[in-house]
Amino acid sequence: MQRKNEALLSKGITTQSGEICKDKINLVAGAITQLFAEMVWVSTGGDKETINRLTDIFVSMNTPTDRGKLFKIIKALYGLMGLQFSAEAEPMGADPAVLEYFIFSFTADFGEIIKDYIAEQKSGVY
């Protein structure tokens, strides 16, 4: 656990006092969510029902009991889509407060990106 805490500190995800750096977590989540959401959109053909089921998994598993499992599922989905999971995001699963905020930020970003794709689809861009 000490090594992972050092990784969080060295990456600027936590401070020396152990506080989480929400801005840094938001930056990392935002950076990795864009390509993930794009791959979900493309691989589902923009199927809203499938995307809604995935979003429901993100929301319903975002509990203290299931959050670690959800993090593993997200990492597995990256691999299934041929994406490399971020080395910067990898240690976020080691700290419950960091993980909670990361999943919150990831899910919010995912939802916003998908809304943009839906709007583009309606306007005829997609």
Side-chain angles (χ1 to χ4, degrees), residues 89-118:
E90 182 68 39
M92 291 195 195
D95 180 283
V98 170
L99 182 58
E100 178 179 10
Y101 195 75
F102 172 78
I103 296 291
F104 164 78
S105 185
F106 179 89
T107 303
D109 289 346
F110 179 80
E112 289 300 314
I113 294 164
I114 294 298
K115 283 180 189 177
D116 289 347
Y117 283 135
I118 291 169

Side-chain angles (χ1 to χ4, degrees), residues 20-65:
I20 66 171
C21 299
K22 290 183 177 181
D23 289 344
K24 177 67 174 189
I25 296 170
N26 283 332
L27 285 173
V28 172
I32 70 168
T33 308
Q34 180 66 46
L35 187 56
F36 177 81
E38 181 179 340
M39 290 300 293
V40 167
W41 182 260
V42 169
S43 66
T44 63
D47 180 56
K48 292 179 197 119
E49 187 175 325
T50 301
I51 294 167
N52 285 340
R53 283 196 307 264
L54 181 60
T55 302
D56 184 54
I57 289 168
F58 292 161
V59 172
S60 65
M61 288 188 73
N62 190 11
T63 66
T65 304

